[in-house]
Amino acid sequence: MFGKYFVQRRCVVSCRGGFTLLESLIVMFMLSVLSSAIVPGWINFLEELRVSDAQSEIYSAIRETQTNAQNNRLNWQFSIRETFTGEVEWASHPQNKMPMIWQSLGAAAIDIDLADTTLDRRNGAYYVRFNFKGKLASRTRTLTLTSSMAPSIKRCVVMSNLLGAMRQAQEQQTPSSSGRYCY
C-alpha cells in the first residue's frame, strides 16, 4: 500500500511541471500593463503628500513668526531659500538679525515656485515681515511650493495684510485677476 501511494504521489508531482513560457509571458505582460497604469498615479499621490506636508510646515513656521512678533513686541521676519544643492530651508528671526539656524523642509524634490511666489527677495532669500503687532508689514504675499518630480502640483500659503490673516491654498484651474494660479 505504501508503494502504491508513493508512485501516485510521485506522478502527481512530476505530471505538473509548472507554467509554460507563453503563460509566463502573458502574466508578465499583464503585470507590466497594470504597473504602467498604476505607478505614475501612485508617484503623483506621494508627491502631493510631500508638497502638502511642506505647505503645512511652512504655514506653521509663518504663524510662529507672527506670534513671535506679537509676544516680543519686535518686527520679525520669515525667510525661505533654496540652497545650491536644491534643498529648501526656512528661518524665523527678528528682522534686524540674520538667521543663524536654517530649518530644512527635508524633501529634496520640494521647490519654491518662483512664478507664483510674491515674497520680497534679499541676499538670496525670500522673506515676509510682521510688525510688532503681528500684522503683515506689506501688501498681500503668496509663497508657492511645488515638486520637481511633479511640477503640476502646487500648494501655497497666502498672507494677507488684513489683520495679518493667513490661509493655505492650492493651484486653481483659472488664474486670478493678477494672473496667478495659486490663490
Side-chain angles (χ1 to χ4, degrees):
M1 180 136 174
F2 176 72
K4 185 178 177 183
Y5 175 76
F6 182 72
V7 170
Q8 287 177 347
R9 180 76 177 146
R10 189 171 159 211
C11 181
V12 169
V13 171
S14 65
C15 292
R16 289 188 168 182
F19 297 108
T20 65
L21 178 61
L22 182 60
E23 290 170 332
S24 298
L25 288 174
I26 289 172
V27 168
M28 288 181 3
F29 175 75
M30 290 171 58
L31 288 175
S32 66
V33 168
L34 282 173
S35 65
S36 67
I38 293 171
V39 169
W42 180 252
I43 290 173
N44 199 41
F45 172 73
L46 291 177
E47 286 305 308
E48 280 186 35
L49 287 178
R50 283 189 190 107
V51 175
S52 293
D53 285 347
Q55 175 194 31
S56 294
E57 183 178 337
I58 292 298
Y59 178 81
S60 296
I62 294 172
R63 259 300 167 215
E64 179 185 325
T65 303
Q66 184 182 32
T67 302
N68 287 337
Q70 291 171 324
N71 292 343
N72 297 319
R73 309 291 290 161
L74 293 169
N75 293 346
W76 272 67
Q77 178 173 311
F78 171 83
S79 301
I80 189 166
R81 68 181 182 186
E82 282 190 46
T83 64
F84 293 113
T85 60
E87 188 176 9
V88 176
E89 299 176 328
W90 62 269
S92 176
H93 54 94
Q95 179 181 334
N96 57 359
K97 295 182 182 177
M98 291 301 294
M100 300 300 278
I101 300 172
W102 289 85
Q103 303 290 324
S104 173
L105 279 179
I110 301 296
D111 294 323
I112 300 170
D113 185 357
L114 303 178
D116 257 351
T117 296
T118 60
L119 300 182
D120 292 324
R121 185 172 184 180
R122 184 173 167 201
N123 297 331
Y126 295 91
Y127 66 90
V128 62
R129 294 179 177 149
F130 294 93
N131 66 19
F132 67 96
K133 294 180 181 178
K135 292 183 181 178
L136 195 62
S138 59
R139 61 181 165 72
T140 299
R141 300 292 183 179
T142 304
L143 171 61
T144 305
L145 301 173
T146 189
S147 168
S148 58
M149 305 233 347
S152 62
I153 299 170
K154 297 179 193 282
R155 299 290 184 269
C156 54
V157 177
V158 180
M159 297 146 279
S160 173
N161 56 1
L162 180 65
L163 302 174
M166 278 186 270
R167 63 182 171 83
Q168 298 179 51
Q170 62 186 29
E171 185 176 34
Q172 305 297 316
Q173 295 292 332
T174 57
S176 66
S177 59
S178 60
R180 306 220 181 287
Y181 284 89
C182 206
Y183 54 90

